């Protein structure tokens, strides 16, 4: 059986303002902004998120670099655009600056705002001038997602007449569970007909909802689903209702791994057989494996094993040496389809039943690629780090004993400037390769070659790195020395610049919102500064640091750095299973430890063979939670990642690495960070 534990506690939008120039937002439906002539020296920058959703406390970052007046007041408002009637203002906030600085202006979106068109208005006024200084408007993207929902079933497969039991667990983007009210929860059959609707259900005091429905003896079979509605937000999950016909006295199940490497010890599996009354079958069994070339019906050979005494369940193993000898192969078995069939003879009912399964033995031919794609950007005189991943067909780490990587670096795609051979592959199968860039190259080409000392096999990959555009050659870069950031710990950052400035501003983004901002003071003549910030739950699973400063001539210099924050391992919850203390053999005792005081535990269990195909319907997989939470940041830069599969499950595992922005200039840097920019500075925009 497999157990799961849940421990819970309580296209591009840029708005711009230029001096004495009217400009408009690409997403604002062609509505022009207005501005009046300011002083010649640029002075301010306002950054807002691109999305709005119910209950979101929108954070707007306002920065004044230099005071041109005694005071300046920023007014930020969210309005619903209705073209047949005047705009409706949802909320607004004001902030007055009397000296240079950076602040976060908060606007709370109501819980019940309807789906529609929304815009954000930014206005600046100077009291001494007696009125409006500038104003601009840009359209926001409305997202109906108020929270995330996890739906868990009591089992992955149901038969007609079964009792369907399921849990609905709503949770916030920081995985905190709170009391929630749904508009409705619906049970939908394969024909799209709602067969049961629960109106306005509210979660219990512990933050989840438990519902059940009795299926009739005859009903539609196929893919059913549970649908949860909250205003315009919909979350649903499927389950299967099967059409069961009892044809035999015994039910036989043969389980094989989904895939096997040629370096595996052998082909293994599980054989189970039960009577229709769930009593284990008693008798003898035969297991037969048939081997065929991939995508062929030609049988290369057959292996048979007898189990003289069988009682309900048995494990089996066919070693690679046995397979190699049977097929008369010179090398290890590879590129083979494995067809298994098991026969069980029941001594009580004197009947023979069988079952089939299929697997594949793949050749471990490793490959390599650059994480982040073939095209990235670099900043001259600042280091650039490439991530090169070596993997096999199912995404897992290959055998590294006889393999090494060579890397060559070319300037402007022609001149070889650096070469490293026989680079060892680390344990996590990702090579971190850093080069020191210069101003003499407009682009770099990184060429990687994977070699094997035991075979003539080679694999290649390449990545092109183009120079970030800056009119004056001023660049800014933020990096980290923290390998695995996690909640409730500190993360160390380093800021480097090629142009000295007294102040560097930064802000932290997560879940589509701006969480905080601050200013780094740079000592005289110092171009690098190291500092740390505390990681909070609100920054998981993906957070982003955006850094920027403004030169005296008004040029905006920026950088963006996206990183993954580990949240799921805060509490090391552990469960130990033992045979029941009543000595009946029919009970199991579990000991749960590691959860915080006051927590409650939800348990779910399922047969292991069903987990291989339907585990995600019953067992809460960590990757499923992360994939759901990543939807809050789907519109912006993502951290680098790779995924792999193991032998037994189709649920992928993932590993994340920090990533710099793909933006080739200051304008696109803010765009790709998911921000709308209002400024009177001269931000750079490269033309291709």
């Amino acid at each position: 059986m497999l157990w799961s534990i849940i421990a819970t506690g309580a296209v591009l939008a840029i708005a711009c303002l230029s001096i004495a120039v009217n400009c408009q937002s690409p997403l604002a439906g062609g509505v022009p902004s207005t501005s009046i002539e300011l002083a010649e020296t640029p002075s301010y920058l306002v950054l807002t998120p691109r999305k709005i959703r119910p209950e979101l406390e929108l954070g707007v970052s306002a920065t004044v670099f230099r005071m041109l007046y005694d005071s300046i007041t920023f007014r930020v408002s969210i309005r619903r655009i209705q073209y047949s009637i005047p705009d409706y203002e949802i909320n607004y906030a004001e902030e007055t600056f009397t000296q240079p600085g950076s602040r976060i202006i908060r606007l709370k979106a109501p819980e019940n705002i309807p789906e529609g068109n929304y815009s954000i208005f930014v206005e600046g006024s100077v009291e001494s001038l007696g009125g409006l200084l500038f104003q601009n408007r840009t359209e926001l993207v409305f997202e109906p997602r108020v929270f995330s929902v996890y739906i868990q079933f009591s089992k992955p497969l149901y038969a007609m007449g079964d009792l369907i039991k399921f849990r609905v667990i709503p949770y916030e983007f920081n995985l905190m569970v709170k009391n929630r009210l749904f508009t409705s929860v619906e049970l939908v059959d394969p024909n799209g007909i709602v067969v049961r609707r629960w109106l306005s259900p509210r979660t219990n005091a512990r933050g989840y909802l438990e519902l059940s429905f009795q299926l009739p003896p005859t009903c539609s079979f196929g893919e059913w689903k549970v649908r949860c509605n909250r205003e315009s937000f919909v979350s649903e999950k499927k389950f299967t209702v099967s059409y069961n016909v009892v044809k035999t006295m015994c039910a036989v199940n043969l389980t094989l791994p989904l895939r096997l490497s040629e370096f595996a010890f052998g082909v293994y599996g599980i054989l189970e057989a039960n009577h229709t009354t769930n009593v284990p079958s008693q008798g003898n069994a035969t297991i037969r494996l048939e081997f065929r070339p991939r995508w062929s019906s030609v049988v290369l050979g057959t292996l048979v094993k007898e189990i003289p005494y069988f009682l309900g369940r048995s494990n089996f193993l066919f070693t690679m040496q046995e397979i190699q000898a049977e097929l008369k192969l010179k090398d290890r078995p590879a590129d083979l389809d494995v067809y298994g069939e098991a026969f069980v003879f029941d001594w009580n009912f004197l009947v023979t039943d069988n079952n089939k399964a299929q697997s594949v033995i793949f050749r471990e031919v490793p490959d390599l690629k650059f994480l982040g794609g073939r095209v990235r950007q670099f900043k001259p005189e600042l280091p650039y780090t490439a991530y090169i991943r070596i993997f096999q067909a199912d995404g897992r780490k290959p055998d590294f004993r006889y393999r090494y990587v060579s890397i060559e670096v070319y300037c402007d795609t022609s001149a070889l400037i650096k070469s490293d051979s026989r680079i060892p592959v680390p344990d996590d199968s990702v090579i971190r390769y850093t080069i020191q860039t210069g101003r003499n190259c407009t682009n770099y080409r990184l060429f990687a070659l994977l070699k094997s000392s035991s075979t003539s096999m080679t694999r290649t990959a390449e990545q092109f790195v183009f120079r970030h555009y800056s009119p004056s050659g001023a660049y800014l870069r933020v990096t980290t020395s923290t390998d695995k950031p996690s909640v409730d710990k500190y993360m160390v950052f380093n800021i480097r610049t090629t142009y000295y400035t007294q102040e560097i501003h930064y802000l932290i983004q997560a879940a589509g919102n701006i969480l905080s901002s601050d200013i780094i003071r740079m000592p005289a003549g110092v171009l690098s500064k190291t500092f740390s910030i505390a990681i909070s739950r609100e920054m998981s699973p993906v957070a982003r640091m955006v850094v920027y400063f403004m030169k005296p001539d008004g040029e905006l210099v920026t950088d963006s750095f996206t990183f993954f924050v580990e949240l799921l391992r805060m509490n090391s919850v552990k469960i130990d299973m033992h045979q029941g203390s009543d000595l009946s053999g029919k009970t199991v005792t579990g000991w749960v430890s590691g959860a915080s005081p006051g927590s409650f535990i939800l348990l779910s269990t399922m047969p292991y063979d069903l987990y291989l195909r339907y585990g995600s319907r019953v067992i809460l997989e960590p990757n499923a939670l992360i994939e759901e939470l990543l939807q809050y940041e789907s519109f912006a830069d993502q951290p680098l990642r790779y995924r792999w599969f193991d032998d037994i499950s189709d649920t992928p595992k993932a590993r994340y690495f920090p990533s710099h922005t793909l933006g080739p200039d200051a304008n696109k840097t803010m765009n790709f960070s998911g921000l709308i920019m209002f400024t009177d500075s001269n931000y750079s925009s490269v033309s291709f």
Side-chain angles (χ1 to χ4, degrees):
M1 308 294 285
L2 201 74
W3 293 79
S4 171
I5 312 175
I6 308 173
T8 64
V11 203
L12 304 177
I14 280 291
C16 56
L17 285 175
S18 298
I19 302 173
V21 176
N22 292 338
C23 59
Q24 64 186 43
S25 163
L27 293 182
V31 179
S33 64
T34 61
S35 63
I36 67 173
E37 186 169 352
L38 303 180
E40 294 182 357
T41 304
S43 61
Y44 73 91
L45 173 68
V46 179
L47 298 171
T48 72
R50 288 170 52 191
K51 281 190 176 183
I52 183 175
R53 61 179 185 266
E55 298 186 12
L56 175 66
E57 189 175 29
L58 195 69
V60 177
S61 173
T63 302
V64 175
F65 298 100
R66 52 187 65 90
M67 295 298 300
L68 305 180
Y69 310 95
D70 294 336
S71 66
I72 181 171
T73 300
F74 291 94
R75 187 182 192 274
V76 183
S77 61
I78 301 173
R79 303 181 189 179
R80 186 181 182 190
I81 308 302
Q82 304 178 81
Y83 297 102
S84 58
I85 58 176
D87 297 347
Y88 173 70
E89 187 170 270
I90 302 297
N91 202 351
Y92 79 94
E94 292 182 351
E95 192 73 34
T96 300
F97 286 77
T98 58
Q99 60 184 4
S102 182
R103 303 177 192 174
I104 300 295
I105 306 174
R106 302 288 183 184
L107 293 88
K108 181 66 178 291
E111 178 183 356
N112 58 347
I113 59 172
E115 189 170 4
N117 299 319
Y118 293 88
S119 291
I120 187 165
F121 284 73
V122 176
E123 301 170 340
S125 60
V126 177
E127 185 177 353
S128 59
L129 297 183
L132 189 65
L133 187 65
F134 62 84
Q135 66 177 11
N136 202 309
R137 153 189 148 183
T138 297
E139 186 176 348
L140 295 173
V141 178
F142 178 78
E143 184 181 40
R145 182 190 306 272
V146 184
F147 47 82
S148 297
V149 177
Y150 175 68
I151 303 173
Q152 184 181 38
F153 298 99
S154 58
K155 57 183 182 178
L157 293 172
Y158 294 93
M160 299 177 185
D162 281 358
L163 178 65
I164 300 174
K165 296 192 293 184
F166 60 94
R167 295 176 181 143
V168 178
I169 307 175
Y171 58 94
E172 310 301 308
F173 69 91
N174 57 5
L175 286 186
M176 296 297 292
V177 177
K178 61 188 295 187
N179 190 271
R180 287 292 187 179
L181 175 68
F182 290 92
T183 305
S184 65
V185 175
E186 300 169 344
L187 191 65
V188 185
D189 72 359
N191 301 315
I193 300 174
V194 178
V195 298
R196 180 71 164 89
R197 178 182 286 117
W198 293 267
L199 294 176
S200 303
R202 180 181 290 275
T203 57
N204 56 29
R206 295 172 176 173
Y208 67 95
L209 189 65
E210 282 191 335
L211 298 171
S212 61
F213 178 76
Q214 180 69 50
L215 286 174
T218 57
C219 63
S220 299
F221 59 90
E223 293 294 326
W224 289 54
K225 58 185 175 183
V226 170
R227 181 191 299 154
C228 302
N229 304 297
R230 167 64 184 264
E231 302 294 341
S232 56
F233 170 61
V234 178
S235 179
E236 58 186 27
K237 192 171 185 179
K238 294 181 179 180
F239 65 94
T240 302
V241 175
S242 61
Y243 180 69
N244 290 340
V245 177
V246 179
K247 298 180 180 179
T248 61
M249 296 297 295
C250 298
V252 179
N253 181 66
L254 176 64
T255 301
L256 292 176
L258 298 176
R259 60 193 75 83
L260 286 167
S261 165
E262 62 175 319
F263 292 103
F265 186 75
V267 178
Y268 59 92
I270 303 172
L271 175 62
E272 295 177 301
N274 294 314
H275 295 157
T276 54
T277 58
N278 282 333
V279 176
S281 178
Q282 184 179 16
N284 60 281
T286 302
I287 300 173
R288 181 168 61 90
L289 295 186
E290 192 177 87
F291 300 92
R292 306 176 188 176
R294 297 297 310 275
W295 323 116
S296 174
S297 59
V298 178
V299 179
L300 298 179
T302 303
L303 281 177
V304 178
K305 280 198 174 181
E306 300 287 344
I307 303 176
Y309 179 73
F310 176 81
L311 181 61
R313 175 189 175 102
S314 178
N315 302 328
F316 61 89
L317 171 67
F318 295 81
T319 66
M320 287 298 183
Q321 287 77 8
E322 294 175 341
I323 299 172
Q324 183 176 353
E326 172 66 25
L327 303 183
K328 298 179 175 60
L329 300 175
K330 295 181 180 179
D331 299 323
R332 299 180 67 88
D335 294 329
L336 296 175
D337 286 327
V338 182
Y339 294 86
E341 187 171 12
F343 300 88
V344 176
F345 177 73
D346 189 275
W347 294 344
N348 296 319
F349 294 99
L350 302 180
V351 295
T352 300
D353 292 291
N354 70 309
N355 189 250
K356 298 180 180 180
Q358 185 176 348
S359 183
V360 60
I361 303 175
F362 63 87
R363 185 176 300 279
E364 190 175 290
V365 180
D367 204 345
L368 78 166
K369 72 174 182 178
F370 285 87
L371 298 182
R374 293 192 63 192
V375 178
R376 305 293 294 182
Q377 58 94 12
F378 76 95
K379 297 185 176 181
E381 299 182 359
L382 298 174
Y384 170 77
T385 300
Y387 292 84
I388 308 165
R389 183 192 171 218
I390 296 86
F391 60 97
Q392 60 187 21
D394 60 353
R396 292 185 301 171
K397 296 181 293 184
D399 184 0
F400 299 137
R401 288 175 292 179
Y402 311 107
R403 300 192 172 102
Y404 54 91
V405 175
S406 299
I407 300 178
E408 297 176 346
V409 181
Y410 296 86
C411 174
D412 295 333
T413 70
S414 58
L416 178 63
I417 61 173
K418 187 179 181 181
S419 177
D420 290 292
S421 61
R422 302 189 68 88
I423 300 176
V425 180
D427 293 338
D428 63 355
S429 77
V430 176
I431 296 176
R432 298 150 181 87
Y433 189 75
T434 302
I435 61 174
Q436 183 62 40
T437 62
R439 295 184 180 269
N440 297 327
C441 300
T442 58
N443 64 80
Y444 291 93
R445 181 170 73 93
L446 280 69
F447 179 80
L449 175 68
L450 175 64
K451 296 182 179 180
S452 174
S453 59
S454 59
T455 67
S456 59
M457 179 275 303
T458 60
R459 289 291 187 271
T460 62
E462 62 182 2
Q463 186 176 68
F464 294 89
V465 190
F466 291 89
R467 184 165 60 188
H468 185 90
Y469 176 72
S470 172
S472 66
Y475 300 100
L476 182 63
R477 178 68 91 191
V478 56
T479 57
T480 182
S481 59
T482 304
D483 185 39
K484 295 181 180 180
S486 58
V487 174
D488 290 345
K489 294 184 179 180
Y490 282 92
M491 185 174 181
V492 179
F493 293 92
N494 178 262
I495 290 181
R496 295 181 63 181
T497 177
T498 61
Y499 178 90
Y500 173 72
T501 181
Q502 293 182 347
E503 296 179 348
I504 295 179
H505 301 258
Y506 75 87
L507 58 86
I508 301 296
Q509 288 177 268
N513 198 14
I514 299 176
L515 302 182
S516 62
S517 66
D518 204 348
I519 301 175
I520 302 297
R521 314 287 179 179
M522 305 294 288
V526 174
L527 300 180
S528 177
K529 187 72 174 291
T530 299
F531 63 100
S532 62
I533 63 171
I535 304 296
S536 65
R537 298 183 66 98
E538 284 67 27
M539 295 171 63
S540 64
V542 171
R544 185 177 301 101
M545 174 177 285
V546 179
V547 295
Y548 56 91
F549 68 87
M550 184 181 290
K551 293 176 58 182
D553 61 1
E555 180 185 351
L556 189 65
V557 183
T558 65
D559 190 31
S560 176
F561 184 71
T562 306
F563 53 93
F564 179 80
V565 175
E566 179 61 63
L567 173 63
L568 301 181
R569 302 185 186 275
M570 285 184 60
N571 295 323
S572 182
V573 181
K574 181 181 179 182
I575 182 170
D576 295 317
M577 306 304 302
H578 306 279
Q579 198 69 25
S581 56
D582 58 359
L583 304 180
S584 66
K586 299 180 180 180
T587 61
V588 175
T589 302
W591 298 85
V592 179
S593 60
S596 301
S599 301
F600 64 94
I601 305 297
L602 301 178
L603 296 176
S604 58
T605 180
M606 66 183 301
Y608 182 73
D609 59 315
L610 289 180
Y611 167 76
L612 300 182
R613 290 189 60 189
Y614 307 102
S616 60
R617 299 185 181 182
V618 177
I619 304 300
L620 179 58
E621 299 284 354
N623 190 69
L625 283 178
I626 294 175
E627 289 292 333
E628 171 66 24
L629 296 177
L630 287 177
Q631 298 300 315
Y632 291 98
E633 286 283 337
S634 60
F635 56 92
D637 283 332
Q638 296 291 310
L640 306 179
R641 75 168 181 176
Y642 69 83
R643 303 200 300 175
W644 76 93
F645 297 84
D646 55 25
D647 289 346
I648 62 174
S649 173
D650 269 339
T651 302
K653 314 298 187 297
R655 174 77 192 277
Y656 296 86
F657 299 89
S659 170
H660 286 94
T661 179
L662 287 169
D665 51 50
N667 182 19
K668 292 297 188 294
T669 295
M670 295 302 184
N671 260 232
F672 292 167
S673 300
L675 297 173
I676 301 172
M677 179 168 62
F678 303 87
T679 182
D680 60 350
S681 66
N682 302 317
Y683 56 83
S684 60
S685 180
V686 63
S687 174
F688 294 99

